Amino acid sequence: MSARRYEHPGRRPRSGALRQAILMACACLLCAPAYGQGSDRIPEQQAKEIAAKAVEGEVMDVQIERKLGADRYVVEVIRKSDGAEVDVIIDMKTGEVLATEN
């Protein structure tokens, strides 16, 4: 008695080429960057470095928020001089510091 694979009634078995194409598509999806993380913006690490230099302090957190009409990096920095928390708003495409909020 030979073992048979279960086949759903009414479903054709997938050919080797189709199976390979499906596996390749899944692999591409897994290896692709997450939604919204295209190469058209600066990396988060670079935003942290820009903010730390702009305020001269220690970076605590980075978020993407809707500010000034577009998605921006909002980097929370603790200023060295007085320990105040400052939010540095950075353009995600250019890396320009757009504003700071205390």
Side-chain angles (χ1 to χ4, degrees):
M1 178 188 264
S2 66
R4 292 186 61 187
R5 285 182 34 190
Y6 170 76
E7 295 292 335
H8 187 276
R11 182 185 287 174
R12 294 188 333 221
R14 291 191 175 111
S15 70
L18 179 59
R19 182 176 293 129
Q20 184 177 8
I22 291 170
L23 289 173
M24 289 298 293
C26 291
C28 288
L29 288 174
L30 290 173
C31 294
Y35 174 75
Q37 293 194 2
S39 61
D40 63 332
R41 66 178 177 184
I42 65 170
E44 187 176 297
Q45 182 61 36
Q46 186 176 351
K48 290 179 182 181
E49 293 167 5
I50 292 168
K53 287 178 186 175
V55 176
E56 294 184 13
E58 182 182 351
V59 173
M60 301 307 292
D61 191 29
V62 179
Q63 298 289 322
I64 296 174
E65 296 180 18
R66 190 95 176 149
K67 296 276 189 177
L68 307 171
D71 287 339
R72 311 288 185 189
Y73 283 121
V74 178
V75 184
E76 181 182 304
V77 180
I78 302 298
R79 191 169 30 219
K80 285 183 185 178
S81 63
D82 61 0
E85 179 183 305
V86 179
D87 288 340
V88 182
I89 302 170
I90 298 175
D91 185 284
M92 295 176 73
K93 293 182 181 182
T94 66
E96 178 186 357
V97 174
L98 302 173
T100 57
E101 298 176 347
N102 292 344

